[in-house]
C-alpha cells in the first residue's frame, strides 16, 4: 500500500480480480498519482453464459450489477489500444523521456500487430471456426475479434472448480458432433475436465494460455505476453484444422 501511495502511476486491470483496488485507492491521496485502469481503455462487454456453460452461483436475495468481462488483454487489438494509451499517459508524466516511450511503444506495438496478423491468417485458412474450452472461459474478446464460436465449462471469473455431469456431457457431445480435434484448458488448471473429455472423444488436450497467470518456471524463463501468445497461435492452428 505504501508503494502504491508513493507511485507516480498505478496500473491495474479492474473487474472481479482487482476488487481490492477500489478500497485501497479510496483510502489514499490520489492527487499526485495517475491511475491507469486497463478496462477503461477499451470497449468492454458483459460476461456471458453460453449454451452448456455452468452459470455462476449467486447469493440468494442479492441483486447484482451486470458483470463486465475483465479479460480485455486476450485480444491483441485491445492490447495495442492499451499500449497506445499507456504510452500517451507516460509521456504526460515524464515529457523529458517522451521519445524513449514513443520508440519503445512503437516497437512493441509492431510485435502485437504481427501477432494479430498471425491469428487472422490461422483463422482465415482454417476449416472450422469453433473452439471448446473445458475450463474457465477467458477468451471472449479474443473470439469476438477473430470471429470464433466457442463453448466452455465456466464463465471467466467463476469460482467453481468442479463441473456438473451435464456440463461435461454437453461438451463431450459437442466435441463428437462437431468433430473437434482439440479441447483446450487454461494455464495452471488441474486439466482434469479437458483430459476426461479428450479421453472420451479421442480429441487432444491442449493449453490455450489466457495470460492471466504465469508459472514460476515460465516466469524465470522470461515468458512475455508475446511469447505466450505465440504458443496460442500454434495451439489455435491445431484446433481449427
Amino acid at each position: 500500500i505504501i508503494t502504491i501511495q508513493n507511485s507516480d502511476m498505478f496500473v491495474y486491470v479492474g473487474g472481479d480480480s482487482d476488487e481490492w483496488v477500489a478500497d485501497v485507492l479510496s483510502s489514499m491521496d490520489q492527487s499526485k498519482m495517475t491511475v491507469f485502469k486497463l478496462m477503461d481503455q477499451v470497449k468492454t462487454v458483459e460476461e456471458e453464459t453460453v449454451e452448456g456453460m455452468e452459470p455462476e452461483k449467486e447469493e440468494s436475495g442479492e441483486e447484482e450489477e451486470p458483470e463486465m468481462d475483465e479479460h480485455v488483454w486476450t485480444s491483441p487489438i485491445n492490447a495495442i489500444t492499451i499500449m497506445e494509451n499507456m504510452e500517451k499517459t507516460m509521456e504526460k508524466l515524464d515529457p523529458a523521456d517522451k521519445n524513449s516511450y514513443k520508440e519503445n511503444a512503437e516497437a512493441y506495438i509492431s510485435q502485437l500487430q504481427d501477432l494479430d496478423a498471425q491469428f487472422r491468417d490461422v483463422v482465415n485458412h482454417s476449416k472450422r471456426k469453433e473452439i471448446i474450452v473445458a475450463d474457465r472461459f477467458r477468451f471472449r474478446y479474443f473470439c469476438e475479434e477473430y470471429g470464433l464460436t466457442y463453448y466452455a465449462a465456466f464463465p471467466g471469473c467463476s469460482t467453481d472448480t468442479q463441473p456438473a455431469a451435464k456440463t461435461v456431457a454437453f461438451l463431450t457431445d459437442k466435441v463428437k458432433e462437431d468433430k473437434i480435434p482439440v479441447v483446450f484448458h487454461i494455464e495452471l488448471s488441474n486439466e482434469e475436465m479437458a483430459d476426461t473429455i479428450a479421453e472420451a472423444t479421442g480429441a487432444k488436450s491442449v493449453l490455450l494460455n489466457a495470460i492471466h497467470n504465469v508459472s514460476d518456471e515460465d516466469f524465470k524463463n522470461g515468458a512475455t505476453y508475446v511469447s505466450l501468445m505465440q504458443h496460442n497461435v500454434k495451439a489455435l492452428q491445431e484446433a481449427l484444422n
Side-chain angles (χ1 to χ4, degrees), residues 21 26 28 35 78 103 110 134 136 145 171 228 235 237-238:
V21 174
S26 65
M28 58 179 58
V35 176
N78 278 355
E103 288 173 9
S110 177
R136 295 178 179 86
E145 185 61 51
L171 293 178
L228 296 174
Q237 186 171 33
E238 187 174 7

Side-chain angles (χ1 to χ4, degrees), residues 17 29 54 65 135 158 207 209 231:
S17 299
D29 178 12
E54 206 158 311
E65 294 182 3
D135 217 317
S158 175
L207 167 67
N209 207 307
H231 164 89

